[in-house]
């Protein structure tokens, strides 16, 4: 596959759709354990899950979170592909506390005269959310049981117009959300861990959308987001995966931005860069 891509860079440069497909291929390789080498010295993902379980129990005991209704365990026949040794398939709810929001009565000005950001599914097209169109008041928080989510919480659109459903974004500010959004508050607060989960949902965007149900405007729901199964690598490997994906996505973004104005010199340079980034991992 790499040989095929490498010998057809000029074609990729001239067609942005091909670059988008390349991005999807990179994300698929990443979550299948085929983008970076495994290290047998890495602490298995099962150890990470035990630590998360212990932390959740502690938070429940302290009254900071509520006990979640358990989901059926993951069985081998339910997973779409095999993962490397040390990885684990499990539900998103194992990694995070997952919730949603609501919409204060739109005709009541008292609910919208505050300074607390209130995000809707429309902002999930952004990679990071730093502002919202509307803000709500402290009274709205009380009357509609709205929770203020911290920066770093992932936001998934459960429904919305056009391509909105299934999009994932990340809060760059503390914000409340409406009922069309699902908040994923990961127990393990590491940037690369959050990025790995985010990259998984970006790569599975089309499949996530197919989980929706309904008529004219199919919807996802919190339970379906909780039950989404994902392959979980050891933490150390997640770090390596995210570093590699970041590198390759940067090159892909460069391809997209320069489409139509690139010359042969650019082609040779970018081919050399990707050769430098990708092939060492493949050799290993």
């Amino acid at each position: 596959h790499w040989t095929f891509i490498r010998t057809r860079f000029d074609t990729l440069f001239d067609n942005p759709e091909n670059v988008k497909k390349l991005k999807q291929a990179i994300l698929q390789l990443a979550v299948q354990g085929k983008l970076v080498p495994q290290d047998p010295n890495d602490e298995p993902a099962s150890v990470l899950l035990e630590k998360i379980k212990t932390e959740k129990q502690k938070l429940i005991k302290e009254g900071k979170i509520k006990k979640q209704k358990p989901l059926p365990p993951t069985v081998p026949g339910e997973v779409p592909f095999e993962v490397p040794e040390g990885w684990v398939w499990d539900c998103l709810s194992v990694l995070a506390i997952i919730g949603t929001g609501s919409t204060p009565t739109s005709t009541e000005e008292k609910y919208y005269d505050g300074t607390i950001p209130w995000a809707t599914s429309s902002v999930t097209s952004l990679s990071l959310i730093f502002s919202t169109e509307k803000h709500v008041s402290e009274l709205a928080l009380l009357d509609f049981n709205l929770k203020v989510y911290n920066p770093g919480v992932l936001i998934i659109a459960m429904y919305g117009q056009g391509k909105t459903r299934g999009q994932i974004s990340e809060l760059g500010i503390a914000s409340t959300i409406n009922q069309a959004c699902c908040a994923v508050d990961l127990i393990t607060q590491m940037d690369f861990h959050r990025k790995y989960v985010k990259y998984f949902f970006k790569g599975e965007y089309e499949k996530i959308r197919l989980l929706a149900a309904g008529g004219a405007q199919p919807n996802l729901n919190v339970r379906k987001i909780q039950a989404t199964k994902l392959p979980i690598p050891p933490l150390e490997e997640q770090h390596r995966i995210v570093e590699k994906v970041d590198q390759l996505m940067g090159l892909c973004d460069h391809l997209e931005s320069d489409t139509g104005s690139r010359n042969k010199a650019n082609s040779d340079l970018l081919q050399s860069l990707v050769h430098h980034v990708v092939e060492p991992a493949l050799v290993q």
Side-chain angles (χ1 to χ4, degrees):
H1 289 85
W2 169 236
T3 301
F4 179 86
I5 292 170
R6 184 179 175 186
T7 57
R8 289 164 175 80
F9 259 65
D10 288 333
T11 302
L12 285 173
F13 293 163
D14 291 335
N15 190 340
E17 285 304 312
N18 284 343
V19 181
K20 290 179 182 178
K21 291 178 182 178
L22 178 57
K23 283 185 173 182
Q24 288 301 306
I26 290 167
L27 294 175
Q28 288 169 13
L29 290 171
V31 300
Q32 291 175 12
K34 297 177 180 179
L35 193 63
V36 300
Q38 279 75 50
D39 185 341
N41 296 315
D42 288 346
E43 189 175 75
S46 57
V47 176
L48 168 64
L49 297 189
E50 281 300 317
K51 290 178 180 178
I52 290 174
K53 182 179 178 181
T54 300
E55 180 62 21
K56 275 189 175 182
Q57 290 172 342
K58 177 186 173 186
L59 294 172
I60 291 169
K61 188 175 181 180
E62 293 173 350
K64 294 181 180 179
I65 64 171
K66 295 180 180 178
K67 189 174 182 179
Q68 294 176 294
K69 185 178 179 181
L71 291 165
T74 301
V75 296
E78 294 179 332
V79 299
F81 54 85
E82 295 297 320
V83 292
E85 187 175 351
W87 291 43
V88 175
W89 274 98
D90 219 325
C91 298
L92 180 64
S93 61
V94 170
L95 300 179
I97 304 301
I98 301 172
T100 186
S102 63
T103 298
T105 307
S106 58
T107 55
E108 294 286 348
E109 187 179 343
K110 62 185 179 181
Y111 294 135
Y112 293 94
D113 62 359
T115 59
I116 304 166
W118 180 70
T120 66
S121 60
S122 62
V123 295
T124 56
S125 61
L126 304 170
S127 180
L128 284 166
I129 301 167
F130 288 110
S131 63
T132 60
E133 184 179 345
K134 293 185 178 181
H135 295 74
V136 295
S137 62
E138 292 284 350
L139 182 61
L141 299 186
L142 294 172
D143 287 359
F144 292 87
N145 197 28
L146 281 168
K147 179 178 178 178
V148 178
Y149 293 100
N150 293 324
V153 169
L154 300 176
I155 304 296
I156 299 172
M158 294 190 289
Y159 55 92
Q161 297 297 319
K163 298 180 179 181
T164 302
R165 185 180 76 252
Q167 291 180 159
I168 186 166
S169 184
E170 178 183 340
L171 289 177
I173 54 171
S175 178
T176 58
I177 59 176
N178 74 350
Q179 70 278 5
C181 296
C182 180
V184 179
D185 192 359
L186 294 164
I187 298 297
T188 301
Q189 293 292 317
M190 296 180 183
D191 288 343
F192 65 85
H193 176 63
R194 181 167 56 250
K195 266 193 170 184
Y196 176 81
V197 174
K198 195 174 177 181
Y199 277 141
F200 168 79
F201 274 90
K202 283 182 177 292
E204 295 292 298
Y205 168 73
E206 293 294 344
K207 292 179 183 178
I208 298 296
R209 284 174 63 81
L210 293 176
L211 297 175
Q217 189 182 43
N219 297 341
L220 295 167
N221 57 47
V222 171
R223 190 70 174 171
K224 288 181 178 179
I225 300 296
Q226 289 175 327
T228 300
K229 292 179 173 59
L230 68 162
I232 307 167
L235 270 181
E236 293 88 347
E237 188 168 350
Q238 288 183 39
H239 199 177
R240 296 194 298 273
I241 288 170
V242 166
E243 282 188 335
K244 184 66 70 176
V245 173
D246 283 348
Q247 287 177 314
L248 296 176
M249 288 299 169
L251 292 174
C252 288
D253 289 341
H254 187 68
L255 293 180
E256 285 183 313
S257 64
D258 282 356
T259 297
S261 62
R262 196 174 295 107
N263 56 29
K264 185 63 169 62
N266 295 67
S267 173
D268 292 342
L269 174 60
L270 284 168
Q271 182 170 333
S272 175
L273 285 171
V274 178
H275 171 85
H276 175 73
V277 172
V278 175
E279 291 199 352
L282 296 181
V283 170
Q284 294 179 43

